[in-house]
Amino acid sequence: MDHLVHPDVEQMLCEFKLHEEDLQVLMERIQAEMERGLHLETNEEASVKMLPTYVRSTPDGSEVGDFLALDLGGTNFRVMLVKVGEDLDGQWRVETKHKMYSIPEDAMTGTAEMLFDYIAECISDYLDQQNMKHKKLPLGFTFSFPVRHEDIDKGILLNWTKGFKASGAEGNNVVGLLRDAIKRRGDFEMDVVAMVNDTVATMISCYYEDHRCEVGMIVGTGCNACYMEEMCNVELVEGEEGRMCVNTEWGAFGDTGELEDFRLEYDRVVDEGSLNPGQQLYEKMIGGKYMGELVRLVLIKMVNENLAFGGEASEKLKTRGSFETQFVSQIEGDSSDFKQTCNILKTLNLQSTLGDCHAVRLACESVSTRAAAMCGAGLAGVLNRMHKNRGDDILKITVGVDGSVYKLHPFFKERFHATVRKLTPRCDITFITSEEGSGRGAALISAVAYKMACLIGH
């Protein structure tokens, strides 16, 4: 710790520290909830829902064609054209072109019709640009919210997360809502063949690089993971043979009290001020949507205890959401002269001393290090479960990861990997970062689903 920092600041931030035994406890609790989520009789009350995705097979290289992929999971929405096929050397490859659209606040929090009409409008605009309006393309939809699937192209939205609130969507088939919106427009046709979660799309996209990839994970706005579970343990779906990808929806871990002894006063304030109080408690301790706000609350407490900024908070610092999560990455990555930190604090109308800058960096480190450790305990729980299921001496496995926190924070990745490895002594883990994961994965899954449907003759 820094000699420039008041010992009371260090004292205050101590409670963010997680020891190995804490992480062990977290991991075991997550595993217990996963187990409950998989069983029919306990699924209802389990906080970790373990949703079957109906994704059983992975791309084998015989899929070809043009596919459209949509990706909705945060404030940005992407439309992507994906060409799957052989290149000139006979190598199987996937090419993508995408366009980003920003979702207006009123579409996020208005009605489901407004939201899906906006999505259909974006697709129409993109098809115009690509001169593809006349073609009826198979479409894969990455939809990163908790969905109970009834098939690969039918899923009921359980509840919105990550700041979405569009009314009339919860309890309805999302693919149906999209098909209806496309019909209402009437200026193009689409064959929606598959809907997947972003974790699943990431896993499939990375599987294309490395056939050992059987876990997909996102640490971005929110946090979630999926993995290949033995079918005989997936009680919510008939059949015993082979494996199915399960979307854990672990962001909701803690919703039935499993995190109470880990949550701090800041976590409670963040939760109370969110759109979904009492829900997604694990995610709220990790995800990018909440990280900056946690740091802001820590800084306010430092001010109140006269440990920073001469005991004076600016109006801006007192404003919810003013401390952005990207500031956390920038401050932790700053050089020792704190130039960038100083500038960020200026935009918040704060005059800072060198000691203040040190204190702010420590606050950022405390919040992001805890996030990495908690996230690592979750993944270790999944990997140790897979190891036990498969009975290999050492489980050789690849984890595909995507998300802004994982990719952009300067130290999150290393801290997270270190925690996972510490807690999984019998696993040999490779981490790969997914490029274009959500869209490319959705297109590949559509390609597989489309090929299956053609084989069955649907």
Side-chain angles (χ1 to χ4, degrees):
M1 286 274 185
D2 289 285
H3 56 278
L4 277 169
V5 172
H6 199 293
D8 290 356
V9 167
E10 298 179 7
Q11 191 51 47
M12 202 183 117
L13 295 172
C14 254
E15 54 179 356
F16 280 95
K17 263 211 174 34
L18 293 171
H19 302 287
E20 196 169 342
E21 47 275 29
D22 298 323
L23 296 172
Q24 207 68 43
V25 167
L26 262 175
M27 177 176 86
E28 284 159 17
R29 287 186 196 169
I30 282 196
Q31 286 179 314
E33 281 306 299
M34 286 171 67
E35 189 64 46
R36 279 157 46 86
L38 284 166
H39 289 307
L40 259 178
E41 68 275 15
T42 46
N43 173 271
E44 203 49 48
E45 69 255 24
S47 63
V48 179
K49 286 293 181 225
M50 305 297 277
L51 303 168
T53 63
Y54 288 80
V55 172
R56 301 163 197 259
S57 53
T58 34
D60 61 11
S62 64
E63 297 82 16
V64 290
D66 290 351
F67 298 87
L68 203 67
L70 308 182
D71 179 10
L72 175 68
T75 40
N76 288 324
F77 166 68
R78 287 195 307 170
V79 188
M80 187 184 283
L81 181 64
V82 184
K83 291 180 179 296
V84 183
E86 288 186 357
D87 62 12
L88 297 171
D89 308 326
Q91 290 293 308
W92 191 66
R93 55 177 303 194
V94 181
E95 265 182 55
T96 56
K97 279 198 277 214
H98 78 267
K99 181 165 182 198
M100 203 69 119
Y101 296 87
S102 170
I103 298 192
E105 184 72 29
D106 58 351
M108 284 170 69
T109 55
T111 64
E113 272 196 7
M114 284 161 68
L115 176 62
F116 283 89
D117 281 347
Y118 176 73
I119 289 171
E121 187 186 322
C122 296
I123 301 172
S124 173
D125 172 71
Y126 182 78
L127 290 173
D128 277 337
Q129 288 178 19
Q130 301 295 329
N131 293 321
M132 302 281 273
K133 267 273 170 71
H134 56 286
K135 284 184 86 167
K136 183 176 180 179
L137 295 173
L139 176 117
F141 187 18
T142 303
F143 183 76
S144 312
F145 300 93
V147 163
R148 174 151 287 142
H149 275 271
E150 292 172 15
D151 208 333
I152 187 106
D153 66 345
K154 181 167 190 207
I156 308 301
L157 174 64
L158 295 175
N159 54 282
W160 285 120
T161 55
K162 295 180 286 201
F164 276 73
K165 256 296 186 253
S167 60
E170 292 178 354
N172 280 316
N173 173 18
V174 178
V175 176
L177 294 171
L178 176 61
R179 285 180 178 142
D180 292 347
I182 291 172
K183 225 185 241 119
R184 276 196 295 278
R185 269 198 84 80
D187 63 342
F188 64 91
E189 280 191 88
M190 274 292 138
D191 184 9
V192 186
V193 289
M195 175 169 75
V196 290
N197 181 273
D198 54 354
T199 54
V200 183
T202 295
M203 180 187 83
I204 294 288
S205 175
C206 291
Y207 176 89
Y208 169 68
E209 314 284 330
D210 174 345
H211 283 6
R212 282 219 174 93
C213 184
E214 294 188 79
V215 181
M217 186 168 162
I218 305 282
V219 197
T221 307
C223 180
N224 190 16
C226 71
Y227 71 102
M228 297 303 283
E229 174 60 86
E230 314 306 308
M231 265 303 284
C232 56
N233 296 331
V234 185
E235 290 186 7
L236 299 165
V237 179
E238 294 291 308
E240 298 288 309
E241 289 309 300
R243 293 180 181 139
M244 181 181 279
C245 181
V246 169
N247 165 19
T248 64
E249 281 299 336
W250 76 16
F253 173 63
D255 295 10
T256 45
E258 314 85 5
L259 285 170
E260 285 319 294
D261 44 343
F262 287 97
R263 293 171 71 222
L264 306 176
E265 56 184 302
Y266 318 105
D267 298 304
R268 298 182 197 282
V269 174
V270 162
D271 177 47
E272 282 154 20
S274 69
L275 277 173
N276 52 350
Q279 296 177 327
Q280 302 295 111
L281 297 182
Y282 181 59
E283 177 169 88
K284 284 171 182 166
M285 297 171 88
I286 300 169
K289 184 164 179 55
Y290 312 99
M291 200 181 276
E293 182 62 7
L294 285 168
V295 172
R296 185 186 74 82
L297 292 167
V298 172
L299 298 183
I300 290 284
K301 183 162 188 199
M302 284 182 184
V303 169
N304 291 344
E305 303 201 355
N306 209 5
L307 299 171
F309 310 117
E312 289 293 320
S314 63
E315 279 314 307
K316 202 141 188 208
L317 186 66
K318 291 180 191 162
T319 309
R320 200 164 85 199
S322 61
F323 198 97
E324 296 170 31
T325 292
Q326 59 172 352
F327 295 166
V328 180
S329 294
Q330 290 161 351
I331 289 167
E332 285 190 60
D334 202 2
S335 55
S336 54
D337 65 1
F338 288 114
K339 216 180 200 136
Q340 208 174 359
T341 305
C342 217
N343 286 335
I344 288 170
L345 295 172
K346 263 199 196 102
T347 65
L348 294 166
N349 303 329
L350 293 163
Q351 293 306 314
S352 53
T353 63
L354 198 54
D356 292 335
C357 290
H358 273 274
V360 171
R361 180 188 286 178
L362 283 182
C364 291
E365 278 174 9
S366 301
V367 170
S368 68
T369 302
R370 181 188 68 161
M374 292 198 77
C375 190
L379 183 63
V382 170
L383 296 173
N384 286 332
R385 177 183 173 88
M386 293 173 87
H387 177 252
K388 198 168 126 206
N389 276 345
R390 299 186 184 189
D392 305 333
D393 184 33
I394 295 281
L395 174 71
K396 271 185 92 66
I397 187 110
T398 296
V399 179
V401 197
D402 202 348
S404 50
V405 172
Y406 183 82
K407 285 178 165 173
L408 303 177
H409 186 284
F411 308 111
F412 186 92
K413 198 183 281 173
E414 290 87 272
R415 294 170 189 160
F416 164 67
H417 292 176
T419 303
V420 177
R421 293 203 163 103
K422 201 185 320 172
L423 296 171
T424 54
R426 308 202 62 77
C427 300
D428 173 3
I429 312 157
T430 305
F431 289 95
I432 55 180
T433 307
S434 141
E435 297 310 323
E436 301 286 14
S438 296
R440 201 170 76 167
L444 288 168
I445 290 167
S446 318
V448 174
Y450 190 65
K451 182 179 72 179
M452 296 298 205
C454 294
L455 290 174
I456 306 164
H458 278 335

